[in-house]
Amino acid sequence: MLSADNHCQRWAPPSCSHDFVVISDSTEFLYKTTDYRPPQFERNLLWNDSTVHVKWPMQDQLQWAVKDAVGKPLADPEMFT
């Protein structure tokens, strides 16, 4: 749990899938990155992929960003050649 009081941070290694849920009325979330990643190279994992087993709190009340709502299942990766 991240909060203004505990000053904790969350680290996600480069190219690692990561998500978060906001449970307050207002949130400020900043990314610190090791490199710039052009948007055309972003890939999104489907938020409710059953093979990943994420237990989202308040699932019936969640609102998703458009790019998160149209993510791909982990079993259906986009391949680059």
Side-chain angles (χ1 to χ4, degrees), residues 18-75:
H18 61 282
D19 283 307
F20 62 92
V21 63
V22 174
I23 58 174
S24 65
D25 290 336
S26 65
T27 296
E28 184 174 315
F29 192 89
L30 303 172
Y31 282 97
K32 294 180 181 180
T33 61
T34 55
D35 200 359
Y36 174 74
R37 183 180 302 268
Q40 68 267 29
F41 296 118
E42 287 185 7
R43 298 298 179 264
N44 291 4
L45 181 61
L46 185 62
W47 70 271
N48 62 350
D49 186 333
S50 62
T51 62
V52 180
H53 306 288
V54 174
K55 294 181 187 240
W56 294 103
M58 308 173 314
Q59 189 166 335
D60 59 333
Q61 301 172 26
L62 296 177
Q63 297 177 354
W64 301 100
V66 172
K67 69 179 189 174
D68 293 327
V70 296
K72 303 287 184 198
L74 188 59

